[in-house]
């Protein structure tokens, strides 16, 4: 691409798919960004379908460098799709859609050797080769990060952008800003699969492929390994921490390839240490929370001792903390104020993130099973888990995490901050303190918002 002058805006043309790398581009403070213009408004689904078709064509143009035999043998098995394909044509259709999910109409064709980053994408050929290396070896950290960065770039800029001053279109007033296209793109892909259902072996194949592609995209976007876990529904005993860690590690890194098993073993060791810290009242992690001014350092001493127990207490008959405690542990990972404390406690922040979310997933799975078995007052410890159930539980956890991330910027959060800082002078502020002082969290953890005034120390 030719570099543009600062503050230059080139609006995307709505249908120029013959020139796949020209949809709109602009630079802002040296950062390359991409835009779709307002002519997409009202035609989002049609435009997204045209875009998908253009990406499939781009994939087909790169057929010479696609190892179809490898992808068909591995990916179709990993997603239990072998029964959906009747011949080589239908197998290639599925693989081309998987690759189309990963590429971008703005990618350069062929191979350039450029690595992906937050503000830069690979070429189509390099993206295909990253997927090939990940699939061949089972796990390759660099390939996983490249593929995740490609999708982060794609999804971050997946919006119609109206330039400043654009306020009238087709007789209606349009607020300047962006309109996200993610849902339109997913619907366009699902429509495309259903329209080609004659290629597949049975009536349920289209929905099965849609389901698999949804999970495939989510895994790649998070730099996980591709594949379903468990491949078939399986019973798990949740009474011990080791099983809970294994479920989450296998969800992130499913498969039995040598490199994948080695990476999963490393992750499980880090997660085991993180969960031990989360469930030990005198652990370095808990002590950091109770001494840091950005967490519970200014809580009154009696409240600190209650919090120490409630953060680490096993929830009913599950060997993990309660759901609210898990969310607070997640907030510790994402806040820069706690990085040094985690290093001193020997905790890998990524492992803490995985462990907290893994525990949240288990809570969702157990509560869903409890709803089926009846209100016993206890969460079931032995439950059958399918890949669909595990995926849905994880998406519920992500929804709660995203809600927290949005809430800390809300007017309600601002009211909590003003109340506490007016009552307790110089009380620092953090996402952790914001969420800790929500009524639901205070009740679940059994504490009161009583803080020591720094002036009285």
């Amino acid at each position: 691409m030719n570099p543009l002058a600062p503050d230059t805006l080139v609006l995307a043309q709505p249908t120029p798919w013959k020139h796949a790398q020209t949809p709109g581009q602009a630079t802002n403070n040296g950062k390359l960004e991409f835009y779709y213009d307002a002519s997409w408004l009202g035609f989002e689904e049609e435009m997204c379908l045209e875009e998908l078709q253009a990406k499939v064509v781009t994939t087909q143009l790169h057929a010479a460098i696609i190892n179809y035999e490898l992808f068909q043998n591995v990916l179709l098995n990993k997603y239990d799709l072998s029964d959906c394909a009747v011949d080589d044509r239908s197998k290639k259709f599925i693989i081309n859609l998987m690759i189309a999910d990963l590429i971008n109409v703005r990618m350069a064709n062929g191979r350039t050797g450029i690595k992906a980053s937050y503000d830069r994408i690979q070429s189509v050929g390099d993206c295909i080769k990253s997927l090939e290396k990940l699939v061949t070896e089972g796990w390759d950290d660099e390939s996983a990060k490249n593929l995740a960065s490609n999708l982060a770039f794609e999804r971050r800029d997946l919006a119609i952008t109206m330039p400043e001053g654009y306020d009238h279109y087709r007789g209606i007033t349009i607020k300047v800003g962006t309109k996200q296209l993610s849902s339109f793109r997913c619907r366009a892909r699902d429509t495309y699969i259903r329209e080609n259902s004659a290629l597949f072996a049975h009536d349920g194949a289209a929905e099965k492929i849609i389901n698999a592609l949804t999970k495939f995209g989510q895994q790649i976007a998070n730099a996980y390994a591709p594949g379903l876990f468990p491949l078939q529904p399986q019973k798990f005993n949740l009474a011990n921490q080791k099983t809970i860690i294994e479920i989450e590690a296998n969800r992130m890194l499913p498969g039995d390839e040598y490199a994948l098993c080695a990476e999963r073993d490393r992750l499980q060791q880090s997660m085991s240490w993180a969960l031990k810290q989360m469930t030990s009242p005198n652990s370095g992690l808990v002590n950091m929370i109770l001494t840091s001014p950005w967490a519970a350092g200014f809580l009154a001493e009696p409240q600190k001792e209650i919090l120490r127990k409630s953060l680490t207490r096993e929830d009913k008959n599950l060997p993990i903390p309660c759901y609210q405690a898990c969310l607070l542990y997640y907030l510790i990972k994402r806040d820069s104020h706690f990085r040094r404390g985690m290093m001193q406690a020997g905790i890998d922040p990524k492992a803490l993130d995985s462990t907290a979310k893994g525990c949240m997933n288990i809570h969702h799975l157990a509560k869903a099973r409890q709803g089926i078995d009846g209100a016993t007052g206890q969460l079931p410890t032995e439950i059958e888990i399918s890949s669909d159930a595990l995926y849905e539980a994880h998406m519920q956890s992500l929804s709660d995490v995203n809600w927290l991330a949005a809430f800390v910027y809300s007017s309600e959060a601002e009211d909590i901050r003003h109340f506490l800082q007016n009552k307790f002078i110089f009380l620092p502020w953090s996402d952790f303190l914001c969420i800790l002082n929500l009524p639901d969290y205070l009740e679940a953890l059994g504490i009161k918002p009583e803080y020591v005034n720094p002036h009285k120390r």
Side-chain angles (χ1 to χ4, degrees):
M1 296 180 182
N2 295 325
L4 300 174
D7 301 320
T8 301
L9 178 66
V10 180
L11 291 179
Q13 299 300 312
T15 56
W17 303 117
K18 292 181 181 178
H19 306 284
Q21 290 133 52
T22 59
Q25 47 189 288
T27 56
N28 180 17
N29 296 325
K31 176 184 169 185
L32 189 64
E33 296 179 345
F34 296 94
Y35 300 94
Y36 295 90
D37 73 13
S39 63
W40 279 52
L41 289 170
F43 300 97
E44 295 90 349
E45 202 155 333
E46 295 92 330
M47 295 298 191
C48 286
L49 183 56
E50 284 192 42
E51 185 183 53
L52 173 63
Q53 290 168 337
K55 292 199 292 182
V56 171
V57 169
T58 300
T59 301
Q60 292 169 339
L61 290 173
H62 288 76
I65 64 170
I66 298 175
N67 190 338
Y68 280 108
E69 184 178 0
L70 170 71
F71 291 153
Q72 289 167 11
N73 289 339
V74 178
L75 289 178
L76 295 188
N77 286 330
K78 278 181 173 285
Y79 288 96
D80 193 27
L81 296 177
S82 298
D83 68 316
C84 296
V86 292
D87 54 23
D88 191 59
R89 184 185 173 200
S90 54
K91 290 178 182 178
K92 283 187 175 180
F93 179 89
I94 298 170
I95 297 303
N96 283 337
L97 271 182
M98 284 184 160
I99 295 172
D101 253 8
L102 305 182
I103 66 173
N104 182 299
V105 294
R106 298 173 286 265
M107 281 178 166
N109 288 320
R111 300 192 66 185
T112 63
I114 295 175
K115 294 180 181 180
S117 62
Y118 178 76
D119 57 356
R120 184 174 63 188
I121 47 178
Q122 292 181 295
S123 66
V124 177
D126 291 332
C127 181
I128 291 169
K129 287 303 176 182
S130 289
L131 180 62
E132 181 179 327
K133 188 168 185 180
L134 184 65
V135 171
T136 301
E137 300 186 13
W139 178 253
D140 179 71
D141 192 61
E142 182 178 328
S143 297
K145 287 178 180 176
N146 277 326
L147 293 169
S149 294
N150 290 334
L151 274 182
F153 185 96
E154 171 84 345
R155 295 178 180 185
R156 185 190 76 222
D157 295 310
L158 185 58
I160 300 171
T161 302
M162 282 71 76
E164 187 175 355
Y166 193 98
D167 62 358
H168 195 72
Y169 187 70
R170 291 197 186 116
I172 60 173
T173 300
I174 301 169
K175 185 178 179 181
V176 173
T178 62
K179 180 178 181 180
Q180 295 299 316
L181 294 173
S182 301
S183 60
F184 291 106
R185 183 173 261 172
C186 288
R187 286 205 294 271
R189 182 199 64 196
D190 298 349
T191 298
Y192 186 73
I193 293 171
R194 293 184 182 111
E195 287 176 348
N196 287 275
S197 58
L199 291 172
F200 310 136
H202 53 83
D203 292 340
E207 299 309 314
K208 193 173 180 182
I209 293 166
I210 289 169
N211 186 28
L213 284 175
T214 299
K215 293 174 183 174
F216 173 71
Q218 199 266 350
Q219 288 172 314
I220 296 298
N222 286 280
Y224 300 154
L228 301 182
F229 177 81
L231 195 59
Q232 300 297 329
Q234 183 178 337
K235 279 197 171 184
F236 293 91
N237 189 331
L238 306 181
N240 65 80
Q241 294 181 350
K242 185 175 182 290
T243 302
I244 291 172
I245 288 168
E246 287 175 351
I247 291 171
E248 180 62 7
N250 277 278
R251 185 192 69 78
M252 297 169 63
L253 300 167
D256 55 7
E257 295 88 346
Y258 177 79
L260 191 63
C261 291
E263 178 66 14
R264 189 167 61 233
D265 288 345
R266 185 203 63 77
L267 176 63
Q268 287 181 199
Q269 288 181 7
S270 298
M271 289 176 66
S272 296
W273 177 245
L275 186 53
K276 184 177 180 180
Q277 294 274 316
M278 289 166 60
T279 53
S280 301
N282 293 308
S283 68
L285 175 62
V286 174
N287 286 331
M288 180 191 72
I289 291 172
L290 297 177
T291 56
S292 171
W294 303 100
F298 285 136
L299 263 182
E301 288 301 323
Q303 301 305 319
K304 277 188 183 182
E305 291 311 306
I306 296 172
L307 184 61
R308 184 189 296 276
K309 294 176 182 176
S310 55
L311 280 176
T312 56
R313 184 185 300 120
E314 292 184 356
D315 189 48
K316 298 178 180 175
N317 57 329
L318 294 177
I320 53 177
C322 70
Y323 194 77
Q324 289 81 0
C326 293
L327 278 164
L328 288 173
Y329 283 126
Y330 165 79
L331 289 175
I332 289 293
K333 175 265 170 188
R334 73 188 291 267
D335 196 321
S336 60
H337 294 111
F338 306 114
R339 286 177 185 168
R340 179 174 293 182
M342 282 192 286
M343 289 176 63
Q344 291 173 343
I347 299 171
D348 178 356
K350 289 184 179 179
L352 181 61
D353 176 274
S354 299
T355 308
K357 288 180 182 174
C359 291
M360 291 161 62
N361 297 345
I362 293 299
H363 277 292
H364 286 302
L365 287 166
K367 286 178 181 176
R369 188 69 246 175
Q370 183 185 37
I372 295 171
D373 294 342
T376 62
Q378 292 288 313
L379 296 175
T381 55
E382 185 166 302
I383 62 174
E384 184 176 87
I385 299 175
S386 66
S387 60
D388 284 341
L390 187 55
Y391 176 80
E392 288 303 320
H394 181 61
M395 296 311 291
Q396 289 179 54
S397 300
L398 288 184
S399 177
D400 291 340
V401 164
N402 292 336
W403 182 87
L404 290 185
F407 179 80
V408 295
Y409 296 104
S410 68
S411 58
E412 294 91 337
E414 191 70 8
D415 290 341
I416 294 173
R417 182 176 73 84
H418 285 310
F419 171 77
L420 290 174
Q421 291 186 330
N422 286 336
K423 189 173 181 180
F424 306 104
I425 301 171
F426 300 130
L427 182 69
W429 192 243
S430 66
D431 293 352
F432 185 97
L433 276 170
C434 174
I435 301 303
L436 179 64
N437 284 279
L438 287 174
D440 289 350
Y441 282 72
L442 293 171
E443 180 180 354
L445 299 169
I447 63 171
K448 298 176 182 177
E450 297 175 355
Y451 292 86
V452 176
N453 192 323
H455 284 319
K456 296 180 180 178
R457 285 199 156 190

